[in-house]
Amino acid sequence: MADPAVKRRSALFEIYRTGEFGDLVKGKAGVSICERHALSIIQVAAWKDQTDAVIATIEVAAGIKPSAEPCSAISSEDISAIWLGPARWLIVEKETRDLHAVIGADVTADMAAITDQSHSRCVLRLSGPQSRNVLRKGTTLDMDPGHFAPGDARTTSLFHMNALIHCLDEETFDIYVARSFGQSFYEVIIHAAAEYGYQVADRI
Amino acid sequence: MIRINCPWCGERNMVEFTYGGDANNVYPGLSEETSEKQYFEYTYLRDNPCGPHLEYWHHVNGCRQWIKVKRDTLTHEVIATVPADKPVGEKE
Ligand SMILES: [Zn+2]
């Protein structure tokens, strides 16, 4: 968020259309889709032997304590810290402040590399009883609720795109892909969801 | 389909990984003592074993870490996986 006067434009601005579509069963959508926009998305990668210090400092700076546990996500109401790899996290919240500067004020350059990715992701939230089935069509991950549970976050190949999938509750997922894949991603998701009937809701 | 047990992410399908070459191949270094013959062998010569083989894989669609995989080239059985900077058992 270099200049707050510059409004972020969604990667889906040309194709995002709210409403109900597909094969609605008795008028009900099996999947609800909405874009998460605009978000502050900050990647923090701790240098060697700085992991514990960075975890503690992010907690002080941003109010969320990342976990070193692989494939985990720690969330409070406003902010999430998602594990990406060893000593590497994505800190995400709705864009209300300069999160890059907030984290960078305390997490110094000799502790971690901090990269603003807010401009470079397209994020969809999938919810509803058929959301797992939509994802099953595009990934080799075990999507069984016992194996992919709330608080889990896994990076994988989804419809041949590199994607981060964050499970928020039993049937709600936030999915992050690179912005340049945004339109393809949106289209493949709505095609996969069509047989269940889907609703596209306002951005959140 | 091969499944590889990433030391961080757990068992994942091989589509999430890319192959990174023979992990037995040791870089000869840039010192003046390194001969042309050593470079030739490093660059071009590989064993072609039928059985357990040590190889690098990159979990590129996952945690992005390089790992070492001991894999049977005949049966595709994945025998062991470790972070790339760790040895695979005492035999290596
Ligand atoms: Zn991994």
Side-chain angles (χ1 to χ4, degrees):
Chain A
M1 199 160 96
D3 180 358
V6 178
K7 202 166 171 280
R8 290 199 191 283
R9 183 145 76 163
S10 154
L12 307 177
F13 76 97
E14 281 183 318
I15 59 171
Y16 198 78
R17 200 154 57 94
T18 58
E20 289 191 317
F21 309 93
D23 194 4
L24 301 163
V25 180
K26 293 186 185 135
K28 282 198 78 172
V31 191
S32 180
I33 300 166
C34 68
E35 187 189 13
R36 298 209 59 209
H37 182 86
L39 297 176
S40 294
I41 304 174
I42 311 297
Q43 179 177 292
V44 183
W47 302 123
K48 200 169 191 290
D49 303 325
Q50 293 287 329
T51 305
D52 292 343
V54 168
I55 287 174
T57 312
I58 291 174
E59 186 182 17
V60 173
I64 191 83
K65 188 182 180 191
S67 169
E69 176 69 23
C71 305
S72 68
I74 309 295
S75 299
S76 71
E77 192 144 325
D78 304 317
I79 187 163
S80 291
I82 307 172
W83 186 92
L84 292 176
R88 207 148 39 81
W89 302 270
L90 220 51
I91 315 295
V92 184
E93 67 178 10
K94 271 191 83 67
E95 190 154 68
T96 55
R97 53 178 176 166
D98 189 343
L99 185 61
H100 183 263
V102 166
I103 294 172
D106 290 335
V107 181
T108 51
D110 56 349
M111 296 169 75
I114 308 170
T115 317
D116 192 347
Q117 301 286 354
S118 311
H119 63 286
S120 72
R121 293 289 182 274
C122 174
V123 186
L124 290 183
R125 177 167 291 179
L126 256 59
S127 55
Q130 299 292 347
S131 58
R132 282 180 193 265
N133 283 335
V134 170
L135 296 175
R136 279 188 179 109
K137 294 183 184 185
T139 175
T140 57
L141 286 181
D142 183 352
M143 292 305 298
D144 186 86
H147 189 257
F148 204 153
D152 291 348
R154 298 198 166 95
T155 311
T156 187
S157 175
L158 180 65
F159 298 105
H160 308 287
M161 289 168 242
N162 181 254
L164 169 66
I165 306 175
H166 174 196
C167 181
L168 293 128
D169 67 39
E170 199 85 334
E171 49 186 45
T172 305
F173 299 86
D174 278 357
I175 306 149
Y176 298 71
V177 299
R179 179 192 173 89
S180 53
F181 287 115
Q183 289 201 5
S184 301
F185 173 59
Y186 179 72
E187 283 176 4
V188 78
I189 290 288
I190 62 176
H191 291 161
E195 67 164 304
Y196 309 119
Y198 64 94
Q199 177 205 31
V200 178
D202 288 329
R203 294 184 169 95
I204 57 164
Chain B
M1 196 62 94
I2 301 173
R3 291 211 206 138
I4 297 172
N5 187 31
C6 172
W8 289 277
C9 307
E11 198 176 70
R12 297 289 182 93
N13 193 294
M14 67 168 284
V15 299
E16 293 186 7
F17 298 81
T18 49
Y19 179 67
D22 187 340
N24 297 294
N25 204 19
V26 180
Y27 181 62
L30 284 170
S31 83
E32 287 189 8
E33 289 97 75
T34 311
S35 67
E36 243 177 73
K37 182 169 177 290
Q38 277 174 292
Y39 256 99
F40 175 82
E41 289 174 355
Y42 168 74
T43 308
Y44 296 109
L45 296 189
R46 300 286 183 277
D47 291 336
N48 185 17
C50 177
H53 184 226
L54 204 59
E55 39 202 39
Y56 288 119
W57 288 77
H58 186 209
H59 197 188
V60 64
N61 282 312
C63 62
R64 307 259 161 118
Q65 298 300 299
W66 282 95
I67 63 173
K68 240 186 277 177
V69 177
K70 195 176 189 183
R71 180 181 68 93
D72 192 306
T73 60
L74 187 66
T75 63
H76 293 313
E77 182 196 353
V78 174
I79 301 155
T81 51
V82 289
D85 60 349
K86 300 276 190 310
V88 184
E90 70 277 20
K91 253 199 147 180
E92 195 186 341

